[in-house]
């Protein structure tokens, strides 16, 4: 039986370009990005493959794969790409599209929820407070952690922009 090939979806590829991936079609698949990617050294993530899928508009392959969330946005590939492909912008555009469809890696969702709840990406632990004190700093940093009115503003922004709903479970 003949193998079924995936059909390219130029409409989706066009949406990626319009969403910020305007250098997408400059990629000639040299693989420098994959060879440079620190995340790919630890995982099965292959940057070149993700870019190729985006060029072909293989939406389901992109949106339903963990790969999209394995980039740490270190920008190494971005700096090394011989074609000037703005790879991180493409990945960001794809992630934004995925989130709007309710798809997000659980770890990313948790961090986004933490930002909308606390104004910070990470919690302040007792060890962090102790270390700050040892360094002669205030135990609690002078951010929204110390300023309830600032935190209220962060929450207001997250609510008015719909960010909190966007990253909520389900
Ligand atoms: S380094 Fe640039 S041109 Fe080469 S595969 Fe990656 S994105 Fe494409
Ligand atoms: S920006 Fe992302 S894809 Fe590019 S090298 Fe860094 S981790 Fe890999």
């Amino acid at each position: 039986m003949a193998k079924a090939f995936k059909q390219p979806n130029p409409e989706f590829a066009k949406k990626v370009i319009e969403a910020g991936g305007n250098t997408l079609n400059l990629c000639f698949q040299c693989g420098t990005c994959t060879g440079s990617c620190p995340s790919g050294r630890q995982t099965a993530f292959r940057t070149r493959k993700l870019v190729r899928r985006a060029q072909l508009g293989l939406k389901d392959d992109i949106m339903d794969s963990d790969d999209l969330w394995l980039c740490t946005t270190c920008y190494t590939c971005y700096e090394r790409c011989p074609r000037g492909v703005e790879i991180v912008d493409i990945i960001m555009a794809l992630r934004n599209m995925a989130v709007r469809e309710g798809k997000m890696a659980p770890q990313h969702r948790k961090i986004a929820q933490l930002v909308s709840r606390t104004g910070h990406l990470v919690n302040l632990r007792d060890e962090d407070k102790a270390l700050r004190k040892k360094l002669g700093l205030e135990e609690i940093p002078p951010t929204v952690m110390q300023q309830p009115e600032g935190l209220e503003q962060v929450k207001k922004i997250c609510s008015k922009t719909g960010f909190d709903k966007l990253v909520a479970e389900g």
Side-chain angles (χ1 to χ4, degrees):
M1 196 173 150
K3 193 175 172 185
F5 288 99
K6 289 180 183 168
Q7 287 301 317
N9 178 350
E11 274 309 304
F12 182 72
K14 195 167 159 234
K15 280 185 188 160
V16 177
I17 291 168
E18 287 166 358
N22 53 313
T23 54
L24 179 63
N25 286 331
L26 294 178
C27 172
F28 60 2
Q29 291 288 291
C30 69
T32 304
C33 49
T34 294
S36 310
C37 180
S39 178
R41 283 200 281 280
Q42 311 296 329
T43 68
F45 171 47
R46 299 292 176 261
T47 317
R48 179 200 59 76
K49 201 167 163 186
L50 181 62
V51 175
R52 186 60 181 150
R53 284 175 169 168
Q55 284 180 322
L56 294 172
L58 300 180
K59 183 180 173 189
D60 294 344
D61 283 8
I62 297 168
M63 300 281 180
D64 296 333
S65 161
D66 291 341
D67 286 1
L68 185 55
W69 304 97
L70 290 173
C71 165
T72 61
T73 65
C74 72
Y75 279 83
T76 309
C77 58
Y78 195 106
E79 286 175 5
R80 293 187 180 170
C81 173
R83 295 282 289 163
V85 179
E86 293 165 347
I87 302 163
V88 183
D89 296 0
I90 293 166
I91 293 173
M92 288 301 154
L94 290 166
R95 284 183 180 176
N96 287 339
M97 293 163 91
V99 171
R100 287 197 192 97
E101 295 199 3
K103 295 175 179 178
M104 195 174 191
Q107 302 86 339
H108 285 249
R109 192 182 293 283
K110 278 199 170 54
I111 289 170
Q113 288 170 350
L114 204 58
V115 170
S116 72
R117 229 176 29 246
T118 68
H120 275 263
L121 287 171
V122 289
N123 281 319
L124 186 68
R125 303 164 307 167
D126 287 343
E127 304 93 284
D128 303 322
K129 289 184 193 169
L131 186 57
R132 289 181 62 84
K133 199 172 171 188
K134 199 171 154 192
L135 293 170
L137 300 167
E138 294 173 272
E139 277 191 18
I140 298 177
T143 64
V144 291
M145 285 183 185
Q146 266 191 27
Q147 300 157 4
E149 66 286 358
L151 181 55
E152 279 316 304
Q153 287 179 20
V154 170
K155 287 182 176 174
K156 204 169 178 178
I157 291 168
C158 290
S159 164
K160 293 233 171 207
T161 57
F163 181 79
D164 51 1
K165 284 200 181 74
L166 198 63
V167 301
E169 297 299 333

